[in-house]
Amino acid sequence: MSDEYILTRIDGRVGVAQINRPKALNALNVDVMRELMSALEQFDDDEAIGCLVITGNERAFAAGADIKAMAEATPVSMLNSSMIDQWDRLQKITKPVIAAVSGFALGGGCELAMACDMIVASESAQFGQPEINLGVMPGAGGTQRMTRAVGKALAMEIVLNGRFLSAHEAQQYGLVNRVVPVELYLEEAIKLAQSIAERAPVAIRLAKEAVNAAFETNLQSGLGLERRLFYMLFATADQKEGMDAFINKRPPAWQGQ
């Protein structure tokens, strides 16, 4: 199926959502983000899909927010807008989400990529938070997620001075999982997604929750959550199937239950 701003397709057990504003370098506005989140939520509700991929095109993943739509905004209009709220919807997706990034991932585009669980980047990818050049600052997680990924000193340079990170720099600092040639970046992201989608669905969901908790809680709280989720998985059919398959040296047949 396709919408005005988002193209979607299913590849095996992988749902792919592509931002489709090529003339605007996939700039993000509230309509784009609403359509994107709706597509992801539909994939999340589909039991036949195990992992999600967000992408743009070779030139741009998303080159930032639509500045024309924000130029005359006021504090009240921004408060009443649901634009930034769309990033919160992404955090409620229970299945793993991989960003397949080529070209520009700037401003809101960088924040969108960082809000995903993993990033596969092409060699042409550039990551940055250049909002300072517009007299503002990141508002959809850029100061928080970038700092957690690359550390305070480099995040300060990126946010305060508009420094871009190349794909290889982003990998060096732990922002992305892998860097591949431009012609392979989407294929590689889907390949990673397909591998994840082959795993036990309930375990994947709870494991994602536990890893995310490491960034949102202290160590003791995170360990407590991890232990509870670990114990919970022993009530699933997939745990019994996975361990029986291991003992009997056969491939597991996951039920997602």
Side-chain angles (χ1 to χ4, degrees), residues 2 33 62 75-76 78 85 97-98 100 104 106 152 175 180 194 202 204 210 225 227-228 237 254 256:
S2 67
M33 290 300 295
V76 173
M78 291 299 294
D85 294 341
V97 183
I98 299 171
F104 298 115
L106 306 178
K152 176 184 175 180
L175 187 65
V180 299
Q194 288 173 336
V202 179
I204 286 288
L225 174 65
R227 193 164 304 174
R228 291 191 297 275
W254 305 121

Side-chain angles (χ1 to χ4, degrees), residues 98-199:
I98 299 171
V101 176
S102 186
F104 298 115
L106 306 178
C110 186
E111 290 170 314
L112 177 60
M114 292 192 296
C116 296
D117 300 306
M118 290 160 276
I119 302 176
V120 173
S122 83
E123 291 174 332
S124 73
Q126 297 185 70
F127 299 86
Q129 301 290 162
E131 290 92 340
I132 202 73
N133 297 322
L134 302 173
V136 291
M137 58 176 275
T143 64
Q144 302 303 300
R145 293 192 175 95
M146 184 64 76
T147 304
R148 284 166 169 76
V150 306
K152 176 184 175 180
L154 183 55
M156 284 289 191
E157 188 175 357
I158 292 167
V159 173
L160 273 58
N161 205 38
R163 173 177 169 176
F164 288 4
L165 294 181
S166 70
H168 289 290
E169 287 176 320
Q171 183 181 34
Q172 174 187 348
Y173 290 111
L175 187 65
V176 309
N177 294 70
R178 61 195 67 175
V179 178
V180 299
V182 173
E183 62 270 19
L184 297 177
Y185 80 99
L186 181 55
E187 176 183 334
E188 187 69 19
I190 293 174
K191 181 180 177 181
L192 174 60
Q194 288 173 336
S195 179
I196 292 170
E198 293 174 357
R199 316 294 174 178

Side-chain angles (χ1 to χ4, degrees), residues 80-97:
N80 290 334
S81 168
S82 63
M83 176 66 171
I84 294 179
D85 294 341
Q86 305 309 310
W87 274 259
D88 298 334
R89 291 172 68 182
L90 181 53
Q91 297 314 293
K92 296 177 183 178
I93 299 295
T94 63
K95 294 170 183 173
V97 183

Side-chain angles (χ1 to χ4, degrees), residues 5-36:
Y5 294 129
I6 304 298
L7 305 177
T8 63
R9 63 185 174 95
I10 296 174
D11 189 332
R13 283 180 46 78
V14 176
V16 181
Q18 180 181 8
I19 304 169
N20 184 42
R21 292 190 76 196
K23 293 182 180 180
L25 293 177
N26 291 333
L28 305 175
N29 59 30
V30 67
D31 293 326
V32 173
M33 290 300 295
R34 282 174 179 163
E35 285 190 20
L36 176 60

